[in-house]
Structures are given as C-alpha cells and as structure tokens.
Amino acid sequence: MSKKIKITPASVIIGVIGAVLISASSFYTVLKFGALPWPTVMVTLISIMALNFFKKTDSKEITVTHTIMSAGSMVAGGVAFTMPGYLILGGKLENINKTLLFVTILLGSVLGCVLSFIFRKKMIEEEKLEFPIGEAAYNLVNSDNTKKDGLFVGLGVLFSTVVSILRDINFTKGKSPIIPTLISTKNGFLSFYVSPLLVGIGYILGFLNTFIWFLGGALVHFIAQPLAISKNIKDFDLMKNSFGMGIVVGIGFGVIVKLIFSKFKKEKKSTSIFSKKLFTYFLITVLLITFIYKLPIILAFVLLVICILCTIIAGYSTGKTGVNPMEIYAIITILIISFLGKLKFLNFAFSTNFSTLLLFFLACIVAVACGLAGDILNDFKSGYKVKTNPKEQFLGELIGAIVSSVVITWLFFVFFNIYKNIGPKENSELIVLQASIVASIINGIPFIQFFFTGLLIGFALYMLNFPVLTFGIGIYVPFYLTLPVFLGGLLNLIFGKISTKFSQKFMMFSNGLMSGEAIIGVIISLIAYYFILFR
C-alpha cells in the first residue's frame, strides 16, 4: 500500500471550493424546501472530474477530496434544522450574536469530526456496518464511466439553472418572469411548483418514498381539508401540522428504538466504544461549553453526554439505513436540558435562567455534530474500502467543516435578512420544516392530542416496517411542493422500466437538477442582500 500523502494542495483547494458551493446550496435547499439528500455521490463525481482535469490522481486522493467537499451539507442541515426555530417563535435576528453562532456551529462541527473518528474503527472495521451512501461513493470511484456521468450532471445543472433564472428573474419591468413559479388549475384547487430541484430530489428518493410522500399530501388535500372546510374548522392547518409533526417525530424515535434493540440482540464482546482519548476530549469540551455558554458544569456535562450518545445513534442509523434524523437529536437535547434546568431541588447543580436562544444554540451543537458524524462515517466507509489513511480523511473533514461553518454563519444572516415569511405554510419564502418541528417543542405544541396521535401512528407503523418515513412530510408540506417531488419519483419508476442504464444516467442528471437551482437561489439571495445593505 502506498504511503504517499493524499491530502495534497490540489485536494484541499478543490475540496474547499466544493465545500463552499455544497454548503451554500445545501443550506438554501433545506431552508427553502425542507429536504436534504446526501451529497456524497455528487461530490465524489465532482472530485473525480476536477482532479482528473488538473492532474493524474488515484482513488485515495479522490476520497480525501470528496471528504472535504461533503462536510458542508450536513453542517448546513444541523443549523437549518434548529436555529430558524428561534425566529419562528418571534425572536429577532439582531439578538443572535454572529460570533457566538459561528462558535456554536464550529463546536458542533469539531465534535462531530472527533467523535466519528473515535467511533470509526468499531462501526466500520469491527461491526462492518453497511453505510449504503459510502458504498455508493466507493462504487463511483471505481467506475469507468465518470466522464459520461459528469456530462449528465452538467446537463442537469445547465437545465436547472436556465429554468430557475427564467422563473425567478424579471427581465422586463412591469411583466412577470417568463416561467411562472406556480402552475394552477382554473379553480385554483391544484397547483404545481415549477422546480427542477424538487423533481431531482424525487428522482433520487425513488418511487416508493415519493409515493408515500404523495399519499400523505393527498390525504390532507383531497379528504381532510375539504372535510374541514365543510365543517367550518378554522384551525385545520394547525391541527394538520401538529399531526404531521407527530408522525415525523414518532418515526424518528422508532429509528432510535429499533437501533437500540438491534444492538442489544447482536452485542458480542468487542472493544469498548469509549476510550481514554474520548475521556480527555470530553473534559476539555465540558470546560469549553461551561465557559462559552455560562452553563453550570453539570449541565455542560449532560449536554456532552447527549451529544456522544446521539452521535453514536446517528452513526448506527446512517450505517444501517442511510437515515439520520437530526431534528430528533435537537428535540431530545431541548427536552432534557430544559427539564434539568428547572429542577429547583437541585438548585446548586442545575438551576439556571435559560433563554429560548440558548436552548437553540445547544440544540444546534448536537444537531451539527450528529449530522456531520453521519456524513464523515459515510466517507470513512468509502475510504476504508480504498485503503485511504483515516487520519487524512479526518483532517480533510475538519478543513471542510471549518470552511462550511464560516459560509453558513454568513449565509444565515443573509437569508434571514431577506426572507421574513418563514415556516411551513402557504406562500412561505422559506419552509424551514424541521426547525419548525423543533420550535414547537419550546412553547408547547398546539392541539397536542393530534401531535401525540401522529407520534403513536408514526412510531407504530415504523416499528411494523411500513415505509412511512416520508408520509409525515407529505402531511406537513404544502401540496404544491409535493407534486414535483412525486413527479420525480414517477419518472424514476418509468425510466427504470424502460432501461436500467438510462435510469442510472438520469440519476446523474437529477443530481445536476438539484445543484443548479440551489446555486441560483443562493446567488439571487446574495444580490438581494447587497441591495438591502447599500440601498
């Protein structure tokens, strides 16, 4: 095996540029549409093409490069799943300290990198978890069709970019853009959001997942909503959202419970997942959290325990299913920390005055750490199969996480200075789906009985192995966003029946569809922000 260092200047430069683009586009995508597919296949392909364009490369250097590049996506997810919740609850953007937000994101990123590196050997080498996303990246690295795949991604980016520009930019004063944002029936009963990105997401998710998503939306749009109108139920949207949130949270807890039970069943003697390294790192981090957030040291200790346990769960969940429910880890954090903070009989140890903003900062640390852990463990899986030095991958992930922390901190203030109408509702500028779920835990959930009904249904169906992961999202998300996602899944089914080869090529095209619209959305947001600053 070659001992040559693979974290080269080329891999760092290409990886950092990619991390900036991926973190920005992912942050926009998850805020706008509430969906965040894994970027691993896309960044692997970009890494292969970029490195081959500039120099001769090999699979190890490619793996290090896509490790740097992919970090930004899940850092973006961790922030988007938590911090907008503060604004949904009426918090002011100016109350969020920019430096403290950056430190929070960076702390979560470093925690995710270090913990996943410590757990890597147990999860990948000893237990040999599947990590299907990492396996897909490995297969792409060893593929002979990267140039053709790259062409299809490029065509997807071009098509998505053109459609987004013609939809979002008004070239003639006083006239609407060439392509409408919504295409509606005459009576307005059905609307279709024109979005290549959503079609791409649907294609990548596949027919089954998008069909389940569609069923959730159709149940609301065609049955529940007309029934509510006929009965003159004015709070239907709140009831529907509480029920949908419950299903999503119930499924998330189902993932965790299944994981814990499967671990107890299969547990055999193996090396402990805890170590002296972890203990040392643990003490340093507890002191840092205590100092930065002015928490009682025992609460800082509890927060870090939550972070470690949720990171382990995130690793196993991603390794077995490819699913990483980051919003559930944020909810667990808020519930436990806020409960302990109110314990009067342990006043000397726990009691502190929690602001809503502080709870969101703490939840953000855990969500970012867990999201990044899932991402880097996918990269570690791919690296293990091509025999890449994990220390180099770890360093690469740290570089990508630091760069992404800077980008996302800046974009957070850019986006929320521009977009004020946020939340999962009609005509929302940013849907911030997961953050709204997390926010609902803070001040109490409206129509709590609907929430718990949904939670029990989601939990039970998931435990019974029904594929309901996207059902709650369909209930929660406006139906005009569901339709393009379902169209993508339908195309996946049709193209798969026609030709497996063509279906695989369109998968690459779909990755391009996602990237083009997201990048244009970021650029338009930056232009709008410029005019806000200098008007």
Side-chain angles (χ1 to χ4, degrees):
M1 185 173 73
S2 172
K3 297 291 184 182
K4 188 177 178 182
I5 294 174
K6 297 302 176 182
I7 187 162
T8 60
S11 69
V12 172
I13 292 169
I14 292 169
V16 165
I17 293 171
V20 170
L21 294 174
I22 293 298
S23 59
S25 59
S26 295
F27 196 43
Y28 176 82
T29 300
V30 70
L31 290 174
K32 180 77 175 175
F33 301 115
L36 186 61
W38 292 103
T40 311
V41 171
M42 176 72 172
V43 298
T44 301
L45 185 60
I46 293 171
S47 301
I48 293 169
M49 295 179 65
L51 286 168
N52 279 319
F53 181 80
F54 290 108
K55 62 192 285 290
K56 188 177 180 181
T57 188
D58 60 27
S59 59
K60 296 182 181 66
E61 188 178 22
I62 290 166
T63 301
V64 169
T65 306
H66 79 64
T67 299
I68 298 172
M69 203 178 289
S70 68
S73 181
M74 293 302 122
V75 175
V79 177
F81 283 19
T82 51
M83 292 308 300
Y86 173 71
L87 302 176
I88 289 174
L89 293 177
K92 303 293 184 184
L93 186 63
E94 53 267 27
N95 292 342
I96 302 176
N97 183 283
K98 292 180 181 179
T99 303
L100 187 57
L101 179 60
F102 170 70
V103 169
T104 298
I105 298 170
L106 186 62
L107 182 57
S109 299
V110 174
L111 267 169
C113 289
V114 174
L115 292 174
S116 55
F117 182 71
I118 292 171
F119 303 151
R120 183 200 71 86
K121 185 174 181 180
K122 181 174 181 63
M123 293 183 183
I124 293 173
E125 295 185 26
E126 293 180 9
E127 301 203 11
K128 300 189 183 301
L129 296 178
E130 290 86 347
F131 286 99
I133 309 300
E135 190 73 33
Y138 164 74
N139 292 333
L140 186 57
V141 168
N142 286 276
S143 170
D144 295 325
N145 298 317
T146 50
K147 287 185 179 180
K148 289 182 180 178
D149 289 342
L151 175 63
F152 279 93
V153 171
L155 289 172
V157 170
L158 179 62
F159 178 80
S160 183
T161 299
V162 170
V163 170
S164 300
I165 290 172
L166 296 179
R167 182 197 65 197
D168 296 337
I169 298 177
N170 187 352
F171 293 98
T172 307
K173 193 173 182 180
K175 290 188 177 181
S176 300
I178 296 171
I179 296 177
T181 302
L182 284 175
I183 297 174
S184 302
T185 56
K186 285 185 179 180
N187 60 3
F189 182 64
L190 274 181
S191 296
F192 182 94
Y193 189 86
V194 179
S195 171
L197 185 151
L198 288 177
V199 175
I201 288 175
Y203 196 91
I204 291 167
L205 287 175
F207 177 73
L208 180 60
N209 284 322
T210 56
F211 179 67
I212 299 296
W213 185 327
F214 175 79
L215 284 180
L219 175 66
V220 170
H221 195 76
F222 295 111
I223 299 174
Q225 192 171 40
L227 188 63
I229 292 171
S230 69
K231 300 290 184 182
N232 198 29
I233 299 174
K234 295 180 179 179
D235 293 324
F236 172 74
D237 283 340
L238 288 174
M239 295 175 182
K240 178 258 294 183
N241 287 346
S242 292
F243 182 68
M245 282 191 293
I247 287 181
V248 173
V249 172
I251 292 168
F253 280 120
V255 170
I256 293 170
V257 169
K258 257 191 179 182
L259 188 62
I260 292 170
F261 274 98
S262 67
K263 278 294 297 162
F264 279 134
K265 285 181 181 178
K266 297 179 181 178
E267 192 66 46
K268 297 176 182 177
K269 64 175 185 178
S270 62
T271 60
S272 172
I273 205 160
F274 298 98
S275 64
K276 290 181 181 178
K277 287 182 183 177
L278 180 59
F279 182 72
T280 304
Y281 183 66
F282 190 102
L283 288 178
I284 294 170
T285 309
V286 165
L287 293 174
L288 270 175
I289 293 171
T290 301
F291 174 74
I292 294 169
Y293 301 98
K294 297 179 174 56
L295 281 181
I297 194 164
I298 296 182
L299 273 184
F301 174 87
V302 171
L303 178 70
L304 197 53
V305 169
I306 293 169
C307 192
I308 291 171
L309 293 176
C310 286
T311 301
I312 293 170
I313 292 168
Y316 280 106
S317 179
T318 306
K320 297 298 290 184
T321 68
V323 175
N324 192 4
M326 288 181 281
E327 67 273 26
I328 302 301
Y329 312 133
I331 289 170
I332 290 170
T333 303
I334 287 172
L335 290 176
I336 294 176
I337 295 295
S338 58
F339 172 74
L340 291 177
K342 293 172 184 175
L343 289 182
K344 300 299 182 185
F345 67 91
L346 288 175
N347 190 64
F348 72 97
F350 290 114
S351 185
T352 188
N353 292 318
F354 282 111
S355 68
T356 301
L357 182 55
L358 176 60
L359 282 173
F360 278 109
F361 275 134
L362 300 181
C364 183
I365 293 172
V366 176
V368 169
C370 293
L372 198 58
D375 174 74
I376 192 173
L377 285 164
N378 275 317
D379 293 322
F380 277 142
K381 175 70 173 184
S382 178
Y384 174 67
K385 298 200 74 170
V386 299
K387 296 180 172 58
T388 304
N389 186 339
K391 292 181 180 178
E392 292 188 40
Q393 281 190 277
F394 168 70
L395 181 57
E397 190 81 7
L398 269 179
I399 293 169
I402 293 167
V403 170
S404 302
S405 297
V406 174
V407 171
I408 291 162
T409 301
W410 180 59
L411 283 178
F412 183 89
F413 291 94
V414 170
F415 288 155
F416 290 106
N417 262 304
I418 298 166
Y419 305 114
K420 305 296 182 183
N421 181 21
I422 64 172
K425 54 191 176 185
E426 294 291 328
N427 303 315
S428 173
E429 294 175 299
L430 298 175
I431 199 165
V432 291
L433 174 62
Q434 292 83 359
S436 66
I437 295 174
V438 175
S440 68
I441 303 299
I442 299 283
N443 286 344
I445 301 166
F447 297 100
I448 191 73
Q449 66 272 31
F450 285 88
F451 175 81
F452 279 112
T453 301
L455 188 150
L456 291 173
I457 290 172
F459 180 80
L461 289 176
Y462 186 82
M463 295 301 287
L464 292 171
N465 296 319
F466 283 91
V468 291
L469 200 56
T470 54
F471 185 75
I473 297 174
I475 289 173
Y476 204 67
V477 169
F479 196 57
Y480 64 81
L481 296 180
T482 292
L483 288 177
V485 174
F486 180 57
L487 174 61
L490 198 59
L491 289 175
N492 185 306
L493 177 68
I494 294 168
F495 292 164
K497 298 286 185 183
I498 295 171
S499 166
T500 302
K501 188 175 181 181
F502 180 74
S503 179
Q504 290 170 347
K505 297 303 179 188
F506 202 86
M507 182 66 74
M508 295 295 125
F509 184 79
S510 296
N511 276 278
L513 291 180
M514 289 171 49
S515 302
E517 182 175 344
I519 291 169
I520 290 299
V522 172
I523 292 171
I524 291 173
S525 300
L526 292 177
I527 293 170
Y529 185 61
Y530 173 83
F531 283 110
I532 287 175
L533 289 179
F534 299 103
R535 64 187 172 186

